Amino acid sequence: MRIGTGYDSHRFAEGRPLILGGVRIPDHAGLSGHSDGDAVAHAVIDALLGAAAAGNVGSHFPPTDDRWKDADSMELLRRAVQVLEGRNYQVVNVDVTVVCESPKIGPWVDAMRDALGAVLRIGPGGVSVKGKTNERMGWIGR
Ligand code: MG
């Protein structure tokens, strides 16, 4: 049994869709990034690769590589699972905390659990997603 942690942060960017955990959240500014900016997917990738000591999202999908420009991060996650499987690991569960003042994550939690659980092949029962605000404190709060 190995456990990894992942973390990611992205700036908001007007004119881009907001995609978190593979779910398109309407009526909200998206996140900047070389790929689709799905910070939840990126953090999960880092946690999985970290657990396997198999690199990180940047080493597998570098932003200098045009292949990953505007990439579907859930496809990157699928590839990360393949890296783990190539090392005879399998994902058991993931636990995600999304920290932001807006949007409210609650209404999208089940859709994210479904989407992540499908790609990870552990189903929604293996995926926890929780939203937290930063109580308007600090750079996250702003
Ligand atoms: Mg990222």
Side-chain angles (χ1 to χ4, degrees):
M1 171 75 80
R2 300 177 70 138
I3 295 173
T5 59
Y7 173 86
D8 199 15
S9 59
H10 284 235
R11 292 176 184 275
F12 282 114
E14 294 292 340
R16 282 174 61 95
L18 178 58
I19 300 169
L20 290 175
V23 175
R24 169 80 200 270
I25 297 177
D27 302 323
H28 199 284
L31 297 175
S32 65
H34 185 67
S35 66
D36 63 6
D38 186 337
V40 168
H42 297 173
V44 172
I45 291 169
D46 266 0
L48 297 179
L49 293 173
N56 59 48
V57 67
S59 64
H60 285 271
F61 314 109
T64 50
D65 189 333
D66 279 347
R67 272 185 301 171
W68 315 126
K69 174 127 181 63
D70 298 323
D72 174 355
S73 294
M74 296 298 274
E75 170 61 18
L76 306 185
L77 178 59
R78 192 184 64 77
R79 288 169 181 257
V81 171
Q82 288 178 336
V83 169
L84 265 63
E85 289 173 346
R87 298 174 182 225
N88 289 321
Y89 293 118
Q90 66 181 81
V91 181
V92 177
N93 72 292
V94 298
D95 181 23
V96 177
T97 304
V98 183
V99 185
C100 59
E101 302 299 324
S102 130
K104 294 298 178 214
I105 297 302
W108 309 102
V109 160
D110 285 341
M112 288 186 214
R113 292 176 63 216
D114 286 343
L116 292 164
V119 172
L120 298 170
R121 298 203 292 274
I122 54 177
V127 181
S128 163
V129 178
K130 315 172 297 294
K132 295 288 287 185
T133 76
N134 211 47
E135 299 286 346
R136 299 182 182 273
M137 295 185 294
W139 62 271
I140 295 175
R142 285 192 300 277

